[in-house]
Amino acid sequence: CRTAYSLSRPPGHHADADVAAGFCYFNNSALAAALLTQAGKRTAILDIDVHHGNGTEAIFYDRADVLTVSLHAHPKRFYPFFWGYETETGRGAGEGFNLNLPLERGTTITPYLAALETALQRVSDFAPDVLVIAAGLDIAVDDPFQGFAIQTAEFETIGRHIAALRRPMLVVQEGGYPSPSLGSNLASLLQGLAA
């Protein structure tokens, strides 16, 4: 199986190793990456949630064995506010192993895909054995937080771009708040990832 999907609730990417935040108690994506790394797999995390995964960043910030990449609404006007800036690239051994790609609120598919290509190039350069995707569906245009403006059919496009890496993937459910398109958005993303 090249792709596995984990429907884990509540979401987890705001949780640090010893701090709960943003409705998150256990950082499911980080835990999966840590276990995969412990098992000898070179692991990268790609976080596509509209919010920056500050917990995930903090957990791996000093490490070079897990690459963390995040596309998210710019924290100058969006939670978690204090983390998720371009200047956060890692520390010590982890320098260069954290990449943040903050985007303006209301971002549509064209600028989103441009940032995604930058993210995917960094992942490709890292050459992971497995990619953990922190799959936030809250980038949708009708999500209550209204951070980005991604349409249902465009989730499939995003999935296809990620699938082009041709890496085994673990898709971990992150954000996605009550909206009429929530299920359709998930189905669209998974269809693209399976391409």
Side-chain angles (χ1 to χ4, degrees):
C1 177
R2 291 190 56 83
T3 303
Y5 169 68
S6 171
L7 177 55
S8 48
R9 306 310 283 157
H13 71 156
H14 296 305
D16 196 342
D18 58 357
V19 176
F23 311 117
C24 301
Y25 304 100
F26 297 103
N27 194 319
N28 308 302
S29 299
L31 180 57
L35 290 171
L36 287 163
T37 302
Q38 188 176 21
K41 301 293 185 185
R42 188 168 172 83
T43 308
I45 301 174
L46 174 63
D47 191 328
I48 61 170
D49 192 280
V50 76
H51 302 95
H52 174 250
N54 55 299
T56 307
E57 176 179 288
I59 288 168
F60 296 109
Y61 205 63
D62 299 289
R63 294 173 54 171
D65 57 345
V66 176
L67 173 70
T68 52
V69 179
S70 178
L71 289 83
H72 51 270
H74 203 294
K76 67 185 175 188
R77 294 184 52 218
F78 213 73
Y79 185 85
F81 302 111
F82 302 105
W83 302 276
Y85 291 84
E86 302 96 321
T87 54
E88 297 160 26
T89 57
R91 179 177 52 226
E95 178 63 43
F97 292 90
N98 187 79
L99 174 63
N100 288 324
L101 298 165
L103 300 166
E104 294 303 317
R105 288 188 74 158
T107 288
T108 56
I109 191 63
T110 300
Y112 187 90
L113 289 178
L116 181 62
E117 285 308 307
T118 299
L120 296 177
Q121 184 60 59
R122 181 64 186 96
V123 171
S124 180
D125 292 345
F126 184 72
D129 299 315
V130 62
L131 177 63
V132 176
I133 302 171
L137 302 173
D138 49 5
I139 60 176
V141 65
D142 63 347
D143 187 86
F145 283 100
Q146 298 183 330
F148 291 163
I150 304 302
Q151 305 287 338
T152 296
E154 294 166 345
F155 278 87
E156 182 177 355
T157 303
I158 291 167
R160 285 181 180 275
H161 279 257
I162 297 171
L165 288 172
R166 299 291 178 230
R167 302 282 178 188
M169 293 178 284
L170 170 61
V171 183
V172 179
Q173 185 65 58
E174 290 290 350
Y177 304 90
S179 71
S181 67
L182 189 57
S184 299
N185 293 340
L186 176 59
S188 182
L189 176 65
L190 293 176
Q191 185 172 357
L193 289 171

